Amino acid sequence: MTRRVAIFVSGGGSNMRALVEDMTGDHPARACVVVSNNENAGGIAWARARGIATEVVDHRPFGEDRASFEAALNAALDKHTPDLICLAGFMRVLTAGFVGPWQGRMLNIHPSLLPKYKGLNTHARALAAGDTEHGCSVHEVTALLDDGPILGQARLNVADGDTADTLAARVLVQEHRLYPAVLRRFVTGEHGCLNVNAE
Ligand code: GRF
């Protein structure tokens, strides 16, 4: 049976696009909804133009009340009966109350070689540390930020003269390869870590 995937975005949604574009033909999953906390997210406009269902739940009216924000997210999700959630540049931290029921069915992509550099500014931190290797990771989401079993990593060499921006751009290319590859494996029950090296 085709698995239904909800994709969460806050921004441009280039990872979401890579996932959607891969879920065609004999792929065992399809995007059933794109969800955002930001009505102006580029990813929402792209999904609408493609005829994909969208849901926007603005976090701002909820202030510090994360439980109510997450209840609204769940209500929006329920309409689309997803089997899996893929976080793809979703910039709100989800609490244990939301994550718990989805654990094992929710993935995230993070722009570092986890467990290094959880959180923000990963590229600048890798450069500041003098790392010669950097990349991205897809992992199962748990209640701990950027934690959870690692399902795949793509690695690249840091080049002389790399800046946080040049590194981010090269890592993003790898994100677009890695996330669809991991999702394909995940929906067919392969949960081991996929390792890819940049070409
Ligand atoms: C990506 O680098 C992702 O790893 C990070 O946020 C960025 C989102 O980019 N969490 P996009 O919205 O998928 O283009």
Side-chain angles (χ1 to χ4, degrees):
M1 208 176 71
T2 303
R3 309 294 297 282
R4 296 170 62 78
V5 181
I7 308 175
F8 282 30
V9 302
S10 293
S14 67
N15 278 291
M16 177 272 290
R17 297 200 298 271
L19 292 174
V20 167
E21 284 169 350
D22 196 52
M23 284 188 273
T24 60
D26 65 358
H27 195 295
R30 289 289 185 277
C32 65
V33 64
V34 174
V35 177
S36 185
N37 61 311
N38 175 10
E39 168 69 33
N40 299 317
I44 285 290
W46 185 88
R48 284 185 183 142
R50 293 278 296 231
I52 299 168
T54 60
E55 296 284 348
V56 176
V57 182
D58 186 347
H59 62 281
R60 290 172 300 185
F62 297 96
E64 296 298 305
D65 184 359
R66 288 186 187 266
S68 296
F69 170 62
E70 291 174 354
L73 273 181
N74 268 321
L77 271 182
D78 282 349
K79 294 187 243 169
H80 303 276
T81 60
D83 301 302
L84 289 174
I85 295 176
C86 285
L87 304 180
F90 186 66
M91 300 306 284
R92 305 302 300 169
V93 172
L94 295 167
T95 71
F98 185 91
V99 172
W102 283 101
Q103 201 160 314
R105 299 183 297 145
M106 176 156 43
L107 312 186
N108 181 45
I109 186 146
H110 183 73
S112 78
L113 295 173
L114 290 172
K116 283 187 162 185
Y117 314 127
K118 298 175 182 181
L120 298 175
N121 303 318
T122 57
H123 311 297
R125 287 158 66 200
L127 285 175
D131 290 357
T132 55
E133 187 182 62
H134 186 46
C136 52
S137 307
V138 175
H139 65 96
E140 285 185 40
V141 177
T142 65
L144 297 176
L145 182 70
D146 299 327
D147 208 85
I150 295 172
L151 299 167
Q153 294 192 309
R155 296 165 188 278
L156 51 76
N157 293 323
V158 176
D160 285 345
D162 254 332
T163 64
D165 287 346
T166 62
L167 207 44
R170 286 179 25 248
V171 169
L172 194 60
V173 171
Q174 298 308 315
E175 293 181 41
H176 299 160
R177 294 176 63 210
L178 182 69
Y179 209 174
V182 169
L183 179 61
R184 265 185 192 258
R185 284 162 50 100
F186 191 80
V187 293
T188 56
E190 281 183 65
H191 294 190
C193 185
L194 173 71
N195 288 298
V196 268
N197 292 312
E199 283 148 3

